[in-house]
Amino acid sequence: MIANAITLWLVPAVLAVLVIAAAWVGVRWYYSEYLGSLGGAPLLQRLNTRQLRSIARSAARQEFGPAGRIVSEGERGDGFYVLETGSATVTVRGDPVATLGPGSYFGEMAVIDEGPRTATIVADTPTTVLHLPSSALRTLVQRDPTIGDAVAAELEQRLRNAGGEIPAASGETSAIQRLEMLSGELRRVRHEDWGSQAVARRRWWPVGR
């Protein structure tokens, strides 16, 4: 009798633990798929695995068919993209200027300051991208300032390489404000915020900034 009661209690409890464990492993595996793509983007390359996982949880996979418009020139930037599969064409004022392949990224400045896109990007083939919204990055930086520090260090290095000046920040400057200041200076020196597996057809200025 007692054995039966223990069995009736124990079996559901064990099953519940197994389901929770499987779900936890599944979630970690699901977002771990994003880590390689996001970690390969220069803007995020200084983040550690824990920080990248936080970023990955805020990213979303989007799919586009051939001729699907991913971003449009002149529209407000809503975030950062990493192209996972397929290919896309970049046009500026209707002129094709580059082709993006797997591993390419664009909108690094837009994810910080939500500035206007400077190009239109249209999928050539069935294409999959990861999208990190600007609002998500801002929330993450406010929650974990070390993410902002890592991104700021990357932007400062780019400014040095481009011959730009690193804007001075006061003790009252927030992490987001610091990133916006660096982004603004990078825009001023016309730093390219796209690349990796992108093939330029001729020199042009940044996508999605």
Side-chain angles (χ1 to χ4, degrees):
M1 196 90 173
I2 296 177
N4 288 338
I6 292 175
T7 300
L8 289 174
W9 172 84
L10 185 60
V11 171
V14 170
L15 289 175
V17 170
L18 290 175
V19 168
I20 293 172
W24 180 80
V25 171
V27 168
R28 287 180 65 88
W29 175 83
Y30 180 79
Y31 288 116
S32 69
E33 285 191 293
Y34 295 0
L35 296 185
S37 297
L38 293 170
L43 183 70
L44 307 176
Q45 65 184 358
R46 295 174 184 261
L47 299 184
N48 59 37
T49 301
R50 177 187 61 80
Q51 294 168 327
L52 276 176
R53 280 208 179 92
S54 296
I55 295 287
R57 284 193 289 269
S58 299
R61 183 171 281 132
Q62 298 179 355
E63 297 181 354
F64 296 86
R69 183 167 297 202
I70 304 174
V71 299
S72 298
E73 186 173 357
E75 71 180 2
R76 179 183 177 183
D78 64 344
F80 169 67
Y81 293 83
V82 178
L83 196 150
E84 289 190 302
T85 63
S87 64
T89 294
V90 181
T91 61
V92 175
R93 292 185 292 276
D95 181 21
V97 296
T99 298
L100 306 180
S104 300
Y105 56 88
F106 51 95
E108 286 193 306
M109 299 299 102
V111 76
I112 295 172
D113 61 17
E114 301 178 325
R117 305 286 183 188
T118 59
T120 294
I121 300 180
V122 177
D124 299 322
T125 64
T127 299
T128 301
V129 299
L130 284 182
H131 175 229
L132 177 65
S134 300
S135 57
L137 180 65
R138 287 171 173 269
T139 299
L140 289 169
V141 169
Q142 290 170 351
R143 185 183 306 158
D144 183 356
T146 63
I147 293 178
D149 292 341
V151 174
E154 172 62 22
L155 297 182
E156 289 177 356
Q157 185 60 54
R158 294 184 188 188
L159 273 173
R160 294 188 188 93
N161 294 342
E165 295 184 4
I166 297 177
S170 68
E172 298 180 354
T173 303
S174 69
I176 287 295
Q177 290 172 329
R178 180 186 177 199
L179 293 179
E180 289 176 339
M181 292 167 63
L182 292 169
S183 175
E185 183 64 14
L186 281 167
R187 285 180 181 275
R188 189 187 68 78
V189 300
R190 302 175 75 87
H191 174 76
E192 294 181 349
D193 71 341
W194 65 281
S196 194
Q197 300 303 315
V199 178
R201 299 185 183 180
R202 64 175 175 77
R203 186 170 179 79
W204 63 292
W205 296 114
V207 171
R209 299 200 309 177

